[in-house]
Amino acid sequence: MPASVDPNAPLIAGVAQRSWRDGSPGPVEMLATVAREALEDAGGSAPGIASIDALCAIRYVSAEHSDPAGLVAEAAGIRAESRIHTSIGGDTPQAAVGELAGRIAAGEMDSVLICGGEALATVSRHLKQGTDPGWADPRPDWTPSEVLATDREPNRPEETAAGLIAPLMIYPLFEHAVWATTGGTADEQRRRIGDLWSRFSRVAATNPHAWSPGPFDADAIATPSPANRLVTMPYTKLMNSNIQTDQAAAVLLCSHSKADSLGIPADRRVYLHGSAHATEPWFFSEREDLGRSPAIGRAVGSALGQAGTGIDEIALLDIYSCFPSAVQIAGLEIGFDPFGDSREPTVTGGLSFAGGPGNGYVLHSIASMVGRLRDEPDEAGLVTAVGWYLTKHSAGVYGAKPPVRPFERPAKHAEPQAGRAVAPVGWSGTATAETATVIHERDGSASYGILTAMTDDGRRVLRSTSSRSDLDSLPDGPVTGIPARLPADGGFSLG
C-alpha cells in the first residue's frame, strides 16, 4: 500500500448479506442484523462502534415506517447523527454509496452504514393466509434527517392508459427493440436469452447467499413449462427479477483515516475509485430508441474516467440484471459483450437467481464485489444500478488498492430533453409498428397485448388490446416496420 493515502479517501470496510429462508423477522430486524454483521466483518474495533455519522436505509416496501433508518439504528444499538432515507429505485444503493462517499471525501463525515432489504417472501405468505405480519410502525412520529433524491411519478398518462404500469410490462418492449436487430422467431429469441441467463445462473450456483441458485441450463430457462410459465412475450418466469425473497445487505463506508483509527486491517478495505449517476428522459415513451439507453454509457463512462481506467481493464462486473434487455442494452452502451466476453457479467448471479429484494439488490452486488476484490486485490470491479424503466443509472468502480487520484463527488448528468413526442390517448390512424409484447395469465393464456408504433410525423403511439383477432395478428418475429392500423375504438391490427 502506498505510504501516502488521502486520509479522506472513501472505502468500504465491512459488508454483510443474508437470506432468511424460514421466514423474516421484519425489515427493521433484518437491516439491523446485517448492519451489525457489517461491523463484525470489518474487524479491528469496528464491531464496538456505538456511534456513526449517518445510517442510510434504502427504501423498502415490506412495511410502512416513517423513519426506517432511525428504527434500524435503534434496533442495532447504534447512535446515528443523521438518519437518511432514499427515493424509489434500484439505482439508489449505488447512488447512496457515491453521494455519501463524496461527503466523506470532502471531510463532511467519516463513517456511514448503508443497509437495505425486503421481506416480500414473508409478506406474500401472509397475504395468501390473510394474516398480518405485525410490522406496524413503532415510531410513527419520527422522521428522517434527510431523503436522498425525490420520487416522481414513473408513467405518463398515455403509458398508464395502455396498461404499461410496471417493469414486467415495459422491459419486454425494450427486449423487442433488441430482438429487431437480431431477428428470428420468438423461440429463437428465448433460446438466445436462455444462453445469456444461464451464465447468471451458473454464477448464482456458486453464491451461498443466492435465493434460487439452480443452476438452470439454457433450455430450462428458455422453455415455457408449468414451473416456468410464460409471463410476457418473450420472457419466461426465470427471465424475470425475483422480488419475492427475504434478503438484506449492508456496507460500512468510512474514510481511510477512520479505518486507521478503528484498526481495520488493510486487507478488508475496498476503495471507491469512481462513481456517477445519469438519467434518461424520465418517461420511457419519450425516448428516441427503445433499444438504447445512452445514460448508462454516460454514468459508466464518468465513473471509469474518475477512476482513470477503461472497461477493458475491469476484471469483475455486476451488470444490473432485472430483465435480459437491461443487460443487453447496458452491454451495447458500455462496450461489453454479455454473451461472448470471457468475463462474467455478474458476481452474484443476478436478480433472477441471486434474488431481487426490491430497491436493495445492488447492496448485495457491492457486498459480493467487495468479497471478490479482497480475494483479487490487483483487480478492479464495476457495479451498475438501474431504477425504474432504464430511467436512472448509477455506476461505481471499486478496487482494493487506494485510488491514485482523490475521489470527487460523483458526476450527476442532467436529464436530457424528450427525444420523441407521444400521441394522445385515443389517437387513431395508420402507423408503423415498433415493438410489442403479450401479457400472460398464470394459466398461460394471453391476457392482453401492447404495441408501440410510430406515426408519420415521428410521434410514438401506445396501444393495448385484449382482442383475440388483434393478438393473432402479431407475427412470430419482430413487429418492427410492419404497417399498423389503430382504430378509434381501440386495439390494433398489423399487416
Side-chain angles (χ1 to χ4, degrees):
M1 181 175 292
S4 177
V5 178
D6 179 2
N8 290 337
L11 60 90
I12 293 176
V15 297
Q17 50 183 321
R18 179 184 282 207
S19 297
W20 283 258
R21 299 190 179 279
D22 298 321
S24 164
V28 172
E29 290 299 327
M30 291 168 66
L31 270 59
T33 296
V34 292
R36 295 302 312 181
E37 289 177 347
L39 297 177
E40 293 284 345
D41 178 72
S45 61
I49 286 179
S51 179
I52 56 175
D53 289 323
L55 192 146
C56 175
I58 304 301
R59 182 183 293 268
Y60 51 73
V61 299
S62 305
E64 295 186 9
H65 295 144
S66 299
D67 182 13
L71 296 179
V72 172
E74 181 181 55
I78 299 171
R79 181 173 179 271
E81 295 292 333
S82 179
R83 305 182 310 278
I84 301 173
H85 204 198
T86 71
S87 60
I88 294 171
D91 62 306
T92 55
Q94 177 57 53
V97 168
E99 169 64 26
L100 298 172
R103 297 182 190 182
I104 289 173
E108 298 170 11
M109 59 171 58
D110 63 16
S111 57
V112 57
L113 270 166
I114 305 172
C115 49
E118 287 288 3
L120 291 176
T122 296
V123 167
S124 177
R125 187 173 67 252
H126 279 283
L127 287 173
K128 291 176 182 177
Q129 296 172 348
T131 55
D132 186 339
W135 302 333
D137 193 346
R139 308 284 190 181
D141 55 329
W142 285 9
T143 57
S145 309
E146 178 183 0
V147 178
L148 296 180
T150 303
D151 284 317
R152 297 165 60 179
E153 286 295 326
N155 295 101
R156 280 181 62 115
E158 296 87 350
E159 297 168 7
T160 302
L164 291 160
I165 57 173
L168 68 84
M169 301 163 183
I170 295 171
Y171 279 87
L173 299 179
F174 301 155
E175 185 68 47
H176 200 109
V178 173
W179 183 18
T181 69
T182 61
T185 66
D187 282 345
E188 289 169 340
Q189 181 65 0
R190 271 195 296 273
R191 286 197 294 271
R192 182 172 180 269
I193 298 168
D195 287 336
L196 172 60
W197 240 224
S198 68
R199 296 194 73 179
F200 283 81
S201 179
R202 288 194 296 271
V203 173
T206 69
N207 178 0
H209 304 288
W211 190 260
S212 303
F216 302 91
D217 64 29
D219 285 343
I221 294 167
T223 305
S225 68
N228 185 38
R229 66 184 181 89
L230 192 60
V231 178
T232 53
M233 184 182 76
Y235 290 157
T236 62
K237 181 179 178 180
L238 286 174
M239 295 174 183
N240 284 254
S241 173
N242 180 10
I243 65 170
Q244 291 195 8
T245 73
D246 293 339
Q247 294 176 296
V251 301
L252 171 62
L253 186 66
C254 68
S255 67
H256 179 84
S257 61
K258 180 68 172 181
D260 284 346
S261 70
L262 292 171
I264 293 171
D267 61 5
R268 309 306 289 167
R269 308 180 189 191
V270 171
Y271 294 81
L272 184 60
H273 287 227
S275 184
H277 194 275
T279 306
E280 292 292 351
W282 189 260
F283 300 114
F284 86 90
S285 59
E286 296 179 354
R287 298 175 199 161
E288 177 69 23
D289 184 345
L290 297 185
R292 299 296 301 266
S293 185
I296 299 175
R298 288 192 286 271
V300 171
S302 291
L304 291 171
Q306 185 182 19
T309 190
I311 190 65
D312 292 340
E313 282 69 54
I314 297 294
L316 303 170
L317 302 99
D318 200 77
I319 305 299
Y320 197 82
S321 52
C322 50
F323 296 90
S325 57
V327 175
Q328 295 169 84
I329 292 171
L332 177 65
E333 301 295 353
I334 70 175
F336 171 76
D337 177 7
F339 294 92
D341 199 292
S342 61
R343 297 169 293 179
E344 295 291 358
T346 179
V347 293
T348 67
L351 286 87
S352 295
F353 308 111
N359 300 319
Y361 163 77
V362 171
L363 282 178
H364 292 266
S365 59
I366 293 172
S368 293
M369 182 65 74
V370 167
R372 289 290 301 275
L373 290 169
R374 285 170 174 172
D375 292 338
E376 304 171 55
D378 292 331
E379 306 296 355
L382 170 68
V383 170
T384 72
V386 175
W388 287 117
Y389 318 123
L390 294 181
T391 307
K392 305 182 291 176
H393 302 277
S394 191
V397 178
Y398 296 86
K401 294 181 178 180
V404 175
R405 59 185 71 182
F407 185 83
E408 301 171 353
R409 289 190 183 273
K412 295 182 181 180
H413 294 272
E415 180 182 337
Q417 295 294 315
R420 287 193 182 276
V422 180
V425 175
W427 185 95
S428 63
T430 58
T432 302
E434 179 192 27
T435 70
T437 190
V438 177
I439 314 300
H440 291 261
E441 298 294 336
R442 290 187 176 276
D443 64 4
S445 62
S447 177
Y448 65 98
I450 296 169
L451 180 81
T452 71
M454 294 296 178
T455 66
D456 289 344
D457 61 1
R459 290 179 293 169
R460 180 173 280 118
V461 186
L462 308 175
R463 186 64 65 92
S464 62
T465 183
S466 57
S467 163
R468 173 49 55 187
S469 62
D470 290 352
L471 295 177
D472 287 344
S473 74
L474 291 169
D476 189 24
V479 303
T480 310
I482 297 175
R485 292 180 294 280
L486 308 176
D489 59 354
F492 58 81
S493 60
L494 303 180

